[in-house]
Amino acid sequence: MAKITYLDFEKPVAQLEEQIQELQKVSADQKDLNIQSEINKLTRKKTKLLKEIYSKLTPWNVSLVARHPLRPYTLDYINNIFTDFHELHGDRAYADDLSIIGGLARFNGNPVMVIGHQKGRDTKERTYRNFGMSRPEGYRKALRLMKLAEKFGIPIMTFVDTPGAYPGIGAEERGQSEAIGHNLYEMSLLRTPIITTIIGEGGSGGALAVAVCDYLIMLQFSTYSVISPEGCASILWKSASKAEDAAQALNLTADKLQALGIVDKIVTEPVGGAHRDPAAVYTALKRALNEAYRQLKKLSIDDLLAARHQRLMGFGKYAVEK
């Protein structure tokens, strides 16, 4: 198991876990010394403290958990939820963007097309995956795979985890905004079911380009927003230091978005986040995906498209009290 990385607001928990580890070392070295009762006492205290902290997370805290470096990424979900995954590469126009992975797989024995953002664990892998920030060729690759799935009537499952589309000059020169816009248009018309899961950060158009769907799932401590809190703060207050205020205003957490009718299902994470018990998250998400899959497969294609159109047109609606 990888060593836990603690966020700033988790420091009290980190101190308790350090004490527990020290006592465990002493217990292992001195067999005749019985301090198990003290270890159990500290463990219960740690569990209680962790629950208290995670029961009152601010939107900014949730944003930090969504970015946790040990959080499971798309490949982790593919390897633990799907079978027979066969990755497909390239956009057939420019290059293969490695920040987006996709390919054919089986879900409970049924063929599906799986597409998602992929970040990296260390500096080398993060650079290789461009920190999960996709270029135009990444979105065009994703759309190519979606059109392939449509051709053979295969459901699509996408996983979103990106701070946003890559803002580099080369990406802009190759049509970043056009690629994102084209994906939004095409996905709204695809004649096959689309299920999207926000597994970490769902940032701006970089997320939307693979998130037009019939059923949207969010992990409990993931975020989904038109812009990152830092980006919003830089625009509104001219300072990224106001990111905490921006996160509060953006309504980017799963519970807020479900209340607005954008999210269909929230998958509960272990206390402390998905990285503390990935196996539990894989099981819970697989159950949610199966529920969505069974629900959408019952619909005819025409009914599916009508419901998708109604869903998209419903975003942003509001009522004025008289």
Side-chain angles (χ1 to χ4, degrees), residues 75-305:
L75 275 175
D76 298 309
Y77 289 103
I78 290 175
N79 292 333
N80 287 278
I81 293 177
F82 302 89
T83 58
D84 303 320
F85 176 64
H86 184 84
E87 187 174 359
L88 301 174
H89 297 271
D91 68 342
R92 300 295 186 268
Y94 182 77
D96 183 29
D97 187 339
L98 298 170
S99 66
I100 285 187
I101 59 173
L104 292 163
R106 289 191 180 276
F107 177 69
N108 290 335
N110 301 299
V112 293
M113 183 68 76
V114 185
I115 301 166
H117 300 98
Q118 180 68 20
K119 293 180 178 178
R121 297 289 176 202
D122 53 33
T123 302
K124 182 178 180 181
E125 190 182 357
R126 287 170 188 155
T127 302
Y128 181 71
R129 298 290 182 182
N130 202 38
F131 297 83
M133 296 186 293
S134 304
R135 300 175 173 90
E137 47 271 23
Y139 297 118
R140 289 171 180 142
K141 173 172 73 172
L143 181 58
R144 181 176 76 82
L145 301 189
M146 291 177 198
K147 297 294 283 186
L148 181 64
E150 179 188 44
K151 180 178 180 180
F152 293 103
I154 298 172
I156 299 166
M157 294 186 179
T158 68
F159 294 85
V160 174
D161 188 15
T162 180
Y166 184 61
I169 293 176
E172 297 296 342
E173 288 176 341
R174 295 193 299 278
Q176 184 72 289
S177 59
E178 188 279 336
I180 292 172
H182 191 59
N183 274 31
L184 300 182
Y185 173 77
E186 291 288 352
M187 289 184 76
S188 69
L189 300 173
L190 282 176
R191 298 179 65 81
T192 193
I194 309 171
I195 302 168
T196 293
T197 305
I198 313 295
I199 59 174
E201 294 180 273
S204 191
L208 286 173
V210 293
V212 177
C213 62
D214 303 298
Y215 196 98
L216 180 64
I217 299 169
M218 277 188 78
L219 297 193
Q220 183 181 3
F221 301 127
S222 60
T223 59
Y224 193 30
S225 177
V226 296
I227 193 171
S228 69
E230 294 92 336
C232 178
S234 297
I235 293 171
L236 295 183
W237 291 283
K238 310 301 179 186
S239 171
S241 65
K242 291 283 189 178
E244 191 165 351
D245 295 328
Q248 186 69 43
L250 284 168
N251 283 337
L252 43 65
T253 57
D255 57 337
K256 294 286 187 181
L257 293 169
Q258 188 177 51
L260 292 170
I262 294 172
V263 174
D264 297 293
K265 176 78 173 180
I266 297 175
V267 172
T268 303
E269 296 186 35
V271 176
H275 56 284
R276 284 186 174 267
D277 190 356
V281 179
Y282 302 145
T283 300
L285 181 54
K286 185 173 183 178
R287 190 181 302 117
L289 288 170
N290 188 53
E291 178 186 331
Y293 179 89
R294 290 165 64 91
Q295 183 177 318
L296 296 178
K297 286 294 283 184
K298 293 177 182 177
L299 301 176
S300 69
I301 293 299
D302 289 339
D303 288 343
L304 183 78
L305 289 177

Side-chain angles (χ1 to χ4, degrees), residues 3-15 17-18 50 53-54 57-71 221 269 271-276:
K3 184 178 179 181
I4 293 291
T5 300
Y6 295 96
L7 302 171
D8 286 344
F9 62 85
E10 294 178 315
K11 284 182 179 178
V13 176
Q15 292 169 1
E17 291 199 342
E18 285 176 8
L50 195 62
I53 291 172
Y54 272 78
L57 292 183
T58 66
W60 175 242
N61 293 152
V62 174
S63 298
L64 297 177
V65 178
R67 300 170 179 173
H68 198 286
L70 295 180
R71 197 171 177 83
F221 301 127
E269 296 186 35
V271 176
H275 56 284
R276 284 186 174 267

